[in-house]
Amino acid sequence: MKIVETGQPDRYTKVFSIIYGDGEIASGKVYLADEQEAKIFRQKLKKRMKEGDPYSVKIIFKSEEYARRHMEETRRIVSEKYSQVDSKHIFLLVERNGRLEKVSE
């Protein structure tokens, strides 16, 4: 399993794919702090943060089956790649009935 960054649509987000075997099982977005957010993290949360640092990750699995089968490994590799992001700010999602919902653990 590996993370492949596919682009940076704007200054404060990065887009990536999670590849397992020959195919993509999930896509994701990393949110990067702007100047104001970094200031809030430093002042209110007493957390070292500067502009451009990652603070949140959203992962959307392609199917419910991929989510169940690869949830833990996905969380692990994302935590390793974006170690500055607190684990409670890594959101694993899957589409159900046209809505994005958290993956049940």
Side-chain angles (χ1 to χ4, degrees):
M1 185 176 288
K2 64 184 175 180
I3 294 176
V4 177
E5 290 189 0
T6 56
Q8 190 158 347
D10 64 46
R11 191 171 166 189
Y12 297 110
T13 58
K14 287 184 182 181
V15 178
F16 63 88
S17 295
I18 297 179
I19 309 297
Y20 184 79
D22 292 341
E24 179 181 345
I25 63 166
S27 60
K29 192 178 272 192
V30 178
Y31 296 92
L32 309 173
D34 63 23
E35 186 177 328
Q36 186 66 28
E37 289 166 328
K39 185 177 177 181
I40 291 168
F41 272 97
R42 287 190 307 269
Q43 290 177 346
K44 304 271 187 216
L45 302 175
K46 307 293 186 223
K47 188 173 181 183
R48 285 186 180 181
M49 171 105 23
K50 64 182 190 291
E51 184 178 5
D53 284 350
Y55 67 90
S56 181
V57 180
K58 184 184 340 180
I59 301 157
I60 302 170
F61 286 96
K62 300 286 182 190
S63 74
E64 189 91 33
E65 179 184 337
Y66 290 150
R68 279 194 306 273
R69 192 178 305 159
H70 302 290
M71 178 177 53
E72 291 306 317
E73 188 176 4
T74 300
R75 186 183 306 275
R76 183 185 54 76
I77 67 163
V78 169
S79 291
E80 288 172 5
K81 174 111 174 136
Y82 304 105
S83 59
Q84 290 173 288
V85 178
D86 191 329
S87 63
K88 65 183 174 195
H89 292 135
I90 297 174
F91 302 100
L92 303 177
L93 307 167
V94 68
E95 187 174 338
R96 292 185 188 119
N97 302 320
R99 295 180 2 183
L100 288 177
E101 296 180 10
K102 279 187 172 183
V103 174
S104 304
E105 298 200 25

